[in-house]
mmCIF file of all heavy atoms in Angstrom:
data_model
loop_
_atom_site.group_PDB
_atom_site.id
_atom_site.type_symbol
_atom_site.label_atom_id
_atom_site.label_comp_id
_atom_site.label_asym_id
_atom_site.label_seq_id
_atom_site.Cartn_x
_atom_site.Cartn_y
_atom_site.Cartn_z
ATOM 1 N N GLY N 323 -24.855 -20.187 -12.923
ATOM 2 C CA GLY N 323 -24.084 -19.141 -13.607
ATOM 3 C C GLY N 323 -22.803 -18.853 -12.839
ATOM 4 O O GLY N 323 -22.788 -18.910 -11.613
ATOM 5 N N ILE N 324 -21.749 -18.557 -13.573
ATOM 6 C CA ILE N 324 -20.433 -18.429 -12.939
ATOM 7 C C ILE N 324 -19.867 -17.022 -13.115
ATOM 8 O O ILE N 324 -19.920 -16.446 -14.212
ATOM 9 C CB ILE N 324 -19.447 -19.449 -13.550
ATOM 10 C CG1 ILE N 324 -19.966 -20.878 -13.299
ATOM 11 C CG2 ILE N 324 -18.043 -19.291 -12.970
ATOM 12 C CD1 ILE N 324 -19.298 -21.912 -14.160
ATOM 13 N N LEU N 325 -19.337 -16.491 -12.041
ATOM 14 C CA LEU N 325 -18.571 -15.245 -12.109
ATOM 15 C C LEU N 325 -17.141 -15.601 -11.719
ATOM 16 O O LEU N 325 -16.862 -15.922 -10.564
ATOM 17 C CB LEU N 325 -19.155 -14.211 -11.138
ATOM 18 C CG LEU N 325 -18.390 -12.895 -11.034
ATOM 19 C CD1 LEU N 325 -18.361 -12.162 -12.370
ATOM 20 C CD2 LEU N 325 -18.999 -12.013 -9.950
ATOM 21 N N ASP N 326 -16.247 -15.561 -12.698
ATOM 22 C CA ASP N 326 -14.872 -15.974 -12.417
ATOM 23 C C ASP N 326 -14.187 -15.001 -11.474
ATOM 24 O O ASP N 326 -14.381 -13.790 -11.556
ATOM 25 C CB ASP N 326 -14.080 -16.070 -13.723
ATOM 26 C CG ASP N 326 -14.498 -17.286 -14.523
ATOM 27 O OD1 ASP N 326 -14.521 -18.384 -13.936
ATOM 28 O OD2 ASP N 326 -14.828 -17.136 -15.710
ATOM 29 N N GLY N 327 -13.364 -15.554 -10.600
ATOM 30 C CA GLY N 327 -12.628 -14.728 -9.659
ATOM 31 C C GLY N 327 -11.545 -13.927 -10.360
ATOM 32 O O GLY N 327 -11.116 -14.255 -11.463
ATOM 33 N N SER N 328 -11.100 -12.837 -9.706
ATOM 34 C CA SER N 328 -10.113 -11.962 -10.335
ATOM 35 C C SER N 328 -8.689 -12.344 -9.961
ATOM 36 O O SER N 328 -7.746 -11.894 -10.581
ATOM 37 C CB SER N 328 -10.381 -10.514 -9.929
ATOM 38 O OG SER N 328 -10.289 -10.396 -8.511
ATOM 39 N N ASP N 329 -8.544 -13.163 -8.945
ATOM 40 C CA ASP N 329 -7.199 -13.513 -8.492
ATOM 41 C C ASP N 329 -6.727 -14.773 -9.219
ATOM 42 O O ASP N 329 -7.446 -15.773 -9.260
ATOM 43 C CB ASP N 329 -7.216 -13.751 -6.979
ATOM 44 C CG ASP N 329 -5.826 -14.054 -6.438
ATOM 45 O OD1 ASP N 329 -5.387 -15.213 -6.527
ATOM 46 O OD2 ASP N 329 -5.184 -13.097 -5.947
ATOM 47 N N PRO N 330 -5.516 -14.701 -9.782
ATOM 48 C CA PRO N 330 -5.051 -15.843 -10.578
ATOM 49 C C PRO N 330 -4.980 -17.154 -9.783
ATOM 50 O O PRO N 330 -5.148 -18.230 -10.358
ATOM 51 C CB PRO N 330 -3.652 -15.413 -11.047
ATOM 52 C CG PRO N 330 -3.303 -14.196 -10.266
ATOM 53 C CD PRO N 330 -4.574 -13.583 -9.783
ATOM 54 N N VAL N 331 -4.746 -17.059 -8.484
ATOM 55 C CA VAL N 331 -4.648 -18.274 -7.679
ATOM 56 C C VAL N 331 -5.986 -18.602 -7.009
ATOM 57 O O VAL N 331 -6.517 -19.703 -7.121
ATOM 58 C CB VAL N 331 -3.548 -18.132 -6.605
ATOM 59 C CG1 VAL N 331 -3.462 -19.403 -5.746
ATOM 60 C CG2 VAL N 331 -2.211 -17.834 -7.269
ATOM 61 N N LEU N 332 -6.552 -17.601 -6.344
ATOM 62 C CA LEU N 332 -7.760 -17.860 -5.548
ATOM 63 C C LEU N 332 -9.003 -18.108 -6.398
ATOM 64 O O LEU N 332 -10.018 -18.595 -5.905
ATOM 65 C CB LEU N 332 -8.016 -16.695 -4.581
ATOM 66 C CG LEU N 332 -7.095 -16.658 -3.359
ATOM 67 C CD1 LEU N 332 -7.402 -15.437 -2.509
ATOM 68 C CD2 LEU N 332 -7.228 -17.927 -2.526
ATOM 69 N N LYS N 333 -8.948 -17.782 -7.672
ATOM 70 C CA LYS N 333 -10.132 -17.988 -8.527
ATOM 71 C C LYS N 333 -10.507 -19.461 -8.633
ATOM 72 O O LYS N 333 -11.622 -19.812 -8.986
ATOM 73 C CB LYS N 333 -9.913 -17.400 -9.919
ATOM 74 C CG LYS N 333 -8.864 -18.137 -10.745
ATOM 75 C CD LYS N 333 -8.608 -17.455 -12.062
ATOM 76 C CE LYS N 333 -9.716 -17.739 -13.066
ATOM 77 N NZ LYS N 333 -9.386 -17.196 -14.396
ATOM 78 N N LYS N 334 -9.561 -20.317 -8.290
ATOM 79 C CA LYS N 334 -9.815 -21.764 -8.273
ATOM 80 C C LYS N 334 -10.836 -22.112 -7.179
ATOM 81 O O LYS N 334 -11.556 -23.105 -7.278
ATOM 82 C CB LYS N 334 -8.481 -22.460 -8.015
ATOM 83 C CG LYS N 334 -8.501 -23.949 -7.953
ATOM 84 C CD LYS N 334 -7.049 -24.469 -7.909
ATOM 85 C CE LYS N 334 -6.971 -25.872 -7.350
ATOM 86 N NZ LYS N 334 -7.055 -25.933 -5.877
ATOM 87 N N GLU N 335 -10.870 -21.273 -6.142
ATOM 88 C CA GLU N 335 -11.818 -21.521 -5.051
ATOM 89 C C GLU N 335 -13.169 -20.878 -5.350
ATOM 90 O O GLU N 335 -13.240 -19.846 -6.013
ATOM 91 C CB GLU N 335 -11.250 -20.981 -3.734
ATOM 92 C CG GLU N 335 -10.014 -21.742 -3.300
ATOM 93 C CD GLU N 335 -9.515 -21.324 -1.921
ATOM 94 O OE1 GLU N 335 -10.017 -20.331 -1.349
ATOM 95 O OE2 GLU N 335 -8.625 -22.002 -1.417
ATOM 96 N N VAL N 336 -14.204 -21.503 -4.799
ATOM 97 C CA VAL N 336 -15.561 -21.109 -5.176
ATOM 98 C C VAL N 336 -16.438 -20.820 -3.964
ATOM 99 O O VAL N 336 -16.390 -21.536 -2.970
ATOM 100 C CB VAL N 336 -16.203 -22.255 -6.010
ATOM 101 C CG1 VAL N 336 -17.703 -22.143 -6.060
ATOM 102 C CG2 VAL N 336 -15.632 -22.270 -7.407
ATOM 103 N N ILE N 337 -17.189 -19.745 -4.075
ATOM 104 C CA ILE N 337 -18.258 -19.484 -3.106
ATOM 105 C C ILE N 337 -19.569 -19.734 -3.850
ATOM 106 O O ILE N 337 -19.795 -19.155 -4.915
ATOM 107 C CB ILE N 337 -18.210 -18.032 -2.587
ATOM 108 C CG1 ILE N 337 -16.896 -17.781 -1.836
ATOM 109 C CG2 ILE N 337 -19.416 -17.712 -1.711
ATOM 110 C CD1 ILE N 337 -16.624 -16.311 -1.531
ATOM 111 N N VAL N 338 -20.401 -20.626 -3.320
ATOM 112 C CA VAL N 338 -21.698 -20.885 -3.947
ATOM 113 C C VAL N 338 -22.753 -20.023 -3.264
ATOM 114 O O VAL N 338 -22.847 -20.001 -2.038
ATOM 115 C CB VAL N 338 -22.093 -22.378 -3.833
ATOM 116 C CG1 VAL N 338 -23.541 -22.597 -4.286
ATOM 117 C CG2 VAL N 338 -21.152 -23.253 -4.656
ATOM 118 N N ILE N 339 -23.519 -19.297 -4.067
ATOM 119 C CA ILE N 339 -24.667 -18.553 -3.538
ATOM 120 C C ILE N 339 -25.911 -19.162 -4.182
ATOM 121 O O ILE N 339 -26.045 -19.143 -5.410
ATOM 122 C CB ILE N 339 -24.572 -17.048 -3.852
ATOM 123 C CG1 ILE N 339 -23.305 -16.457 -3.203
ATOM 124 C CG2 ILE N 339 -25.821 -16.314 -3.363
ATOM 125 C CD1 ILE N 339 -23.098 -14.975 -3.488
ATOM 126 N N GLY N 340 -26.784 -19.732 -3.354
ATOM 127 C CA GLY N 340 -27.897 -20.459 -3.934
ATOM 128 C C GLY N 340 -29.238 -20.209 -3.264
ATOM 129 O O GLY N 340 -29.321 -19.693 -2.148
ATOM 130 N N ALA N 341 -30.285 -20.578 -3.993
ATOM 131 C CA ALA N 341 -31.660 -20.523 -3.483
ATOM 132 C C ALA N 341 -32.499 -21.415 -4.383
ATOM 133 O O ALA N 341 -32.221 -21.509 -5.577
ATOM 134 C CB ALA N 341 -32.199 -19.094 -3.528
ATOM 135 N N HIS N 342 -33.507 -22.071 -3.833
ATOM 136 C CA HIS N 342 -34.343 -22.884 -4.712
ATOM 137 C C HIS N 342 -35.442 -22.030 -5.324
ATOM 138 O O HIS N 342 -35.940 -21.103 -4.690
ATOM 139 C CB HIS N 342 -34.933 -24.096 -3.971
ATOM 140 C CG HIS N 342 -36.080 -23.823 -3.046
ATOM 141 N ND1 HIS N 342 -37.397 -23.825 -3.469
ATOM 142 C CD2 HIS N 342 -36.133 -23.559 -1.716
ATOM 143 C CE1 HIS N 342 -38.202 -23.572 -2.437
ATOM 144 N NE2 HIS N 342 -37.456 -23.405 -1.361
ATOM 145 N N TYR N 343 -35.775 -22.329 -6.594
ATOM 146 C CA TYR N 343 -36.817 -21.550 -7.263
ATOM 147 C C TYR N 343 -38.110 -22.329 -7.423
ATOM 148 O O TYR N 343 -39.136 -21.782 -7.802
ATOM 149 C CB TYR N 343 -36.337 -21.051 -8.636
ATOM 150 C CG TYR N 343 -36.156 -22.138 -9.677
ATOM 151 C CD1 TYR N 343 -37.209 -22.530 -10.501
ATOM 152 C CD2 TYR N 343 -34.921 -22.773 -9.835
ATOM 153 C CE1 TYR N 343 -37.042 -23.530 -11.452
ATOM 154 C CE2 TYR N 343 -34.749 -23.772 -10.787
ATOM 155 C CZ TYR N 343 -35.814 -24.150 -11.585
ATOM 156 O OH TYR N 343 -35.651 -25.143 -12.524
ATOM 157 N N ASP N 344 -38.076 -23.638 -7.142
ATOM 158 C CA ASP N 344 -39.291 -24.444 -7.302
ATOM 159 C C ASP N 344 -40.229 -24.213 -6.117
ATOM 160 O O ASP N 344 -39.799 -23.776 -5.050
ATOM 161 C CB ASP N 344 -38.933 -25.929 -7.371
ATOM 162 C CG ASP N 344 -38.354 -26.447 -6.057
ATOM 163 O OD1 ASP N 344 -37.288 -25.945 -5.641
ATOM 164 O OD2 ASP N 344 -38.973 -27.319 -5.414
ATOM 165 N N HIS N 345 -41.503 -24.523 -6.335
ATOM 166 C CA HIS N 345 -42.457 -24.461 -5.231
ATOM 167 C C HIS N 345 -43.495 -25.566 -5.392
ATOM 168 O O HIS N 345 -43.195 -26.596 -5.990
ATOM 169 C CB HIS N 345 -43.049 -23.047 -5.123
ATOM 170 C CG HIS N 345 -43.799 -22.817 -3.839
ATOM 171 N ND1 HIS N 345 -43.228 -23.071 -2.612
ATOM 172 C CD2 HIS N 345 -45.063 -22.386 -3.591
ATOM 173 C CE1 HIS N 345 -44.119 -22.799 -1.668
ATOM 174 N NE2 HIS N 345 -45.244 -22.391 -2.229
ATOM 175 N N LEU N 346 -44.699 -25.376 -4.885
ATOM 176 C CA LEU N 346 -45.637 -26.489 -4.732
ATOM 177 C C LEU N 346 -46.715 -26.581 -5.815
ATOM 178 O O LEU N 346 -47.661 -27.352 -5.675
ATOM 179 C CB LEU N 346 -46.304 -26.403 -3.355
ATOM 180 C CG LEU N 346 -45.338 -26.475 -2.166
ATOM 181 C CD1 LEU N 346 -46.066 -26.159 -0.864
ATOM 182 C CD2 LEU N 346 -44.696 -27.853 -2.067
ATOM 183 N N GLY N 347 -46.582 -25.778 -6.878
ATOM 184 C CA GLY N 347 -47.567 -25.873 -7.961
ATOM 185 C C GLY N 347 -48.962 -25.510 -7.489
ATOM 186 O O GLY N 347 -49.181 -24.461 -6.914
ATOM 187 N N ARG N 348 -49.884 -26.442 -7.732
ATOM 188 C CA ARG N 348 -51.270 -26.218 -7.299
ATOM 189 C C ARG N 348 -51.600 -27.030 -6.061
ATOM 190 O O ARG N 348 -52.709 -27.504 -5.880
ATOM 191 C CB ARG N 348 -52.232 -26.547 -8.437
ATOM 192 C CG ARG N 348 -52.195 -25.510 -9.549
ATOM 193 C CD ARG N 348 -53.143 -25.876 -10.674
ATOM 194 N NE ARG N 348 -53.153 -24.840 -11.690
ATOM 195 C CZ ARG N 348 -54.035 -23.839 -11.722
ATOM 196 N NH1 ARG N 348 -54.955 -23.747 -10.796
ATOM 197 N NH2 ARG N 348 -53.976 -22.938 -12.681
ATOM 198 N N GLY N 349 -50.609 -27.221 -5.239
ATOM 199 C CA GLY N 349 -50.861 -27.912 -3.973
ATOM 200 C C GLY N 349 -50.557 -29.384 -4.065
ATOM 201 O O GLY N 349 -49.775 -29.812 -4.899
ATOM 202 N N GLY N 350 -51.198 -30.157 -3.229
ATOM 203 C CA GLY N 350 -50.871 -31.578 -3.142
ATOM 204 C C GLY N 350 -49.757 -31.769 -2.131
ATOM 205 O O GLY N 350 -49.689 -31.036 -1.141
ATOM 206 N N GLU N 351 -48.878 -32.731 -2.429
ATOM 207 C CA GLU N 351 -47.792 -33.067 -1.513
ATOM 208 C C GLU N 351 -47.062 -31.813 -0.986
ATOM 209 O O GLU N 351 -46.603 -30.983 -1.743
ATOM 210 C CB GLU N 351 -46.797 -33.965 -2.258
ATOM 211 C CG GLU N 351 -45.889 -34.764 -1.369
ATOM 212 C CD GLU N 351 -46.599 -35.952 -0.742
ATOM 213 O OE1 GLU N 351 -47.755 -36.239 -1.096
ATOM 214 O OE2 GLU N 351 -45.970 -36.578 0.135
ATOM 215 N N GLY N 352 -46.977 -31.693 0.325
ATOM 216 C CA GLY N 352 -46.238 -30.580 0.923
ATOM 217 C C GLY N 352 -47.093 -29.361 1.214
ATOM 218 O O GLY N 352 -46.696 -28.468 1.962
ATOM 219 N N SER N 353 -48.284 -29.300 0.621
ATOM 220 C CA SER N 353 -49.131 -28.130 0.803
ATOM 221 C C SER N 353 -49.823 -28.156 2.158
ATOM 222 O O SER N 353 -50.157 -29.212 2.681
ATOM 223 C CB SER N 353 -50.200 -28.085 -0.286
ATOM 224 O OG SER N 353 -51.200 -27.145 0.059
ATOM 225 N N LEU N 354 -50.035 -26.980 2.713
ATOM 226 C CA LEU N 354 -50.795 -26.870 3.958
ATOM 227 C C LEU N 354 -52.170 -26.262 3.704
ATOM 228 O O LEU N 354 -52.884 -25.895 4.626
ATOM 229 C CB LEU N 354 -50.019 -26.031 4.977
ATOM 230 C CG LEU N 354 -48.674 -26.634 5.434
ATOM 231 C CD1 LEU N 354 -47.926 -25.662 6.329
ATOM 232 C CD2 LEU N 354 -48.888 -27.955 6.164
ATOM 233 N N ALA N 355 -52.525 -26.150 2.423
ATOM 234 C CA ALA N 355 -53.847 -25.611 2.088
ATOM 235 C C ALA N 355 -54.892 -26.695 2.325
ATOM 236 O O ALA N 355 -54.611 -27.869 2.181
ATOM 237 C CB ALA N 355 -53.873 -25.181 0.626
ATOM 238 N N PRO N 356 -56.099 -26.284 2.683
ATOM 239 C CA PRO N 356 -57.131 -27.289 2.944
ATOM 240 C C PRO N 356 -57.540 -28.071 1.709
ATOM 241 O O PRO N 356 -57.999 -29.194 1.800
ATOM 242 C CB PRO N 356 -58.298 -26.466 3.500
ATOM 243 C CG PRO N 356 -58.022 -25.051 3.141
ATOM 244 C CD PRO N 356 -56.552 -24.911 2.961
ATOM 245 N N LYS N 357 -57.391 -27.475 0.514
ATOM 246 C CA LYS N 357 -57.751 -28.227 -0.694
ATOM 247 C C LYS N 357 -56.705 -28.051 -1.790
ATOM 248 O O LYS N 357 -55.939 -27.106 -1.781
ATOM 249 C CB LYS N 357 -59.124 -27.807 -1.191
ATOM 250 C CG LYS N 357 -59.216 -26.370 -1.668
ATOM 251 C CD LYS N 357 -60.631 -26.094 -2.176
ATOM 252 C CE LYS N 357 -60.863 -24.649 -2.568
ATOM 253 N NZ LYS N 357 -60.272 -24.200 -3.804
ATOM 254 N N GLU N 358 -56.724 -28.993 -2.732
ATOM 255 C CA GLU N 358 -55.818 -28.923 -3.869
ATOM 256 C C GLU N 358 -56.402 -28.048 -4.952
ATOM 257 O O GLU N 358 -57.596 -27.806 -4.975
ATOM 258 C CB GLU N 358 -55.609 -30.338 -4.454
ATOM 259 C CG GLU N 358 -54.304 -30.978 -4.054
ATOM 260 C CD GLU N 358 -54.131 -32.350 -4.692
ATOM 261 O OE1 GLU N 358 -53.978 -32.398 -5.922
ATOM 262 O OE2 GLU N 358 -54.139 -33.346 -3.948
#
Side-chain angles (χ1 to χ4, degrees):
I324 299 164
L325 176 62
D326 287 309
S328 60
D329 183 278
V331 179
L332 284 178
K333 68 185 283 186
K334 180 171 159 281
E335 294 186 351
V336 162
I337 297 168
V338 171
I339 299 178
H342 76 88
Y343 69 89
D344 66 298
H345 193 53
L346 300 171
R348 288 179 177 266
E351 200 76 7
S353 166
L354 296 174
K357 65 178 175 74
E358 258 182 68

